Amino acid sequence: MNFSIERRKQDIQTLKEETLDVLIIGGGITGAGIALQASASGLKTGLVEMQDFAEGTSSRSTKLVHGGIRYLKNFDVEVVADTVQERAVVQGVAPHIPKADPMILPIYDEPGSTFSMFSLKVAMDLYDRLAGVTGTKYANYTLTKEEVLERLPQLNPKGLLGAGVYLDFRNNDARLVIENIKQAAADGGHMVSRMKVIGILHDEKGKVSGAEVEDLLSGERFEINARVVLNSTGPWSDTIRQMDNKLDVLPQMRPTKGVHLVVDREKLQVPQPTYFDTGKKDGRMVFVIPREEKTYFGTTDTDYNGDFAHPIVEQDDVDYLLEVVNTHYPSAKLTIDDIESSWAGLRPLISTNGGSDYNGGNNQAVTDESFDHILSTITKYQEGQTDRNEVESALKNIETSNSESDFNPSAISRGSTLDIDEDGLLTVAGGKITDYRKMALGAMKKVIEILEQDYSLAYELIDSTKYPVSGGDIDPSKVEEETEKLAQIGIEKGLSESEALYLANLYGSNAPRVFSLLDDVEKVAGLNAAEAISLRYAMDEEMTLTPSDFLIRRTNHMLFKRDTLDSIKESVIREMARYNDWSDELKANYTKELEVAIAESDLKHLKGDKK
């Protein structure tokens, strides 16, 4: 059965009646990755998410599968090695989603700079070796000041020394989640959104045995029984653990808020992703990234104590980012009125991690003396004046400074943890999108170990490094070529080249299924053919239950096509109401929900009546 609202009804019935091997709480990228591996490995798998899939955090990132070159400032070689290697794995299993997009990193002569031109080149060379791209078309290179300004004419020339260019990958975060979820469902998993956990169940021995849930669409409450319960709720990790009345929980999460703002490309023209120090001596860096016909920039990094389900962009966030971007692109003269859309998201940081986690790594700051010694040693090694042992010795004896770790949220480790409480509740927390598959693998190894030890159930894990997500049946080494072939199917059915390419990039190897809907879907007033089939596919096969699901997370239309949103939103609502047979009241509720989301993205609460 297709992954639609009808499938949801069947999955709920199964969750009521059967005992699962594993119940996953949380439908962000980590939960989705775990669900894929569990379902593909044959476990009876259920996943519940209180919002839409990816809605909480995993649709609100910087939308990169980032290699983490900044960690090389601190010579976090192990973290960067893990990150770039894992990035390659993700690109292999989801080749239609992460796409190579080299990053330019301008260097300024200013106090507190993350890199000098010299240290950047050393870091980029090491980065390329770790990423395995030395000698390829993606190998790094440097630009002179003049070359930088030729490429980025709006960039501030004052104090500019030059730039480095190195490989990074753009990402569609929400699509990565839904493709993992769809594959888990295709492999027999029961993936249910709008299903809120309201309690943790225990057996007669006091061990976790499932969860009580509330269906937020119907209001019905029921119990789900499971041999293992796995908490993968990101910022809500402590909340779920605190529901467990068998535990005395000490909070471990320290979420921080990140904000991104979107303007028209004509206002801020950058030919490729750009990454630079803020220039404010705050230890932060900012991305400026072209996307479709827009440019977005961010991010902030501030401690957050508000409603996890509803972080919003505040005036301080806008002021900070506009000041940084206008300083670096003075001719842009951006104001709040230029912002077309925005988003705010939370990073599920772990306050007690201290830089060490089961993915490896140490993210504490390196002292200036230690940093200079390492640079000098690497230079001598490159010039043949010392050997590899001396370099390894220097790296092993890094001196770190924790002076800011207690109060600077940007210094908190992005590491992850896997914990099992005394009653058996498993919690995987922290980490970043790039590491999602690896985090899921660590969690699944523990789940399978528990099932074997406690229930004499034996399962063999799939090799998740070679198991594609839905839409990922594409040769990772020939993505552009295969995407063009897929697009040709749509062109032959009457779509324009740009429409067909857009859908082929969005849906990967599922694109032919989307294009086939051109034969079945009647014309929808107010939507072109590409929009109509995309909407139908989203409802038929992507568990798209509300207009917000479609316009924000299945397509990113609200973020990067804001200028056409008003012309199609009523048509989307009307078609979804017809397809789902909504009552007038339900249609009005979903319309209001979308209007609230649009108003927040538009920053109407800050712009007032200007727009």
Side-chain angles (χ1 to χ4, degrees), residues 17 39 59 70 131 134 145 163 194 210 242 337 345 347 378 391 423 431 463 465 480 529 562 564 579 582 607-608:
E17 296 174 353
S39 299
S59 59
R70 188 183 181 196
T134 302
K145 175 179 178 178
R194 268 83 182 191
Q242 287 163 353
D337 293 324
R347 298 181 184 87
I378 290 176
V391 176
D423 65 352
D463 181 356
T465 65
E480 290 186 15
R562 178 63 185 89
T564 64
Y579 178 95
W582 288 341
K607 295 177 180 178

Side-chain angles (χ1 to χ4, degrees), residues 34 79 109-110 130 282 383 406 451 532 542 562 595 604:
I34 296 168
V79 165
D109 182 11
E110 59 188 7
L130 295 172
D282 56 7
E383 294 173 351
D406 290 337
L451 290 173
E542 297 196 327
R562 178 63 185 89
E595 291 297 343
K604 283 191 175 180

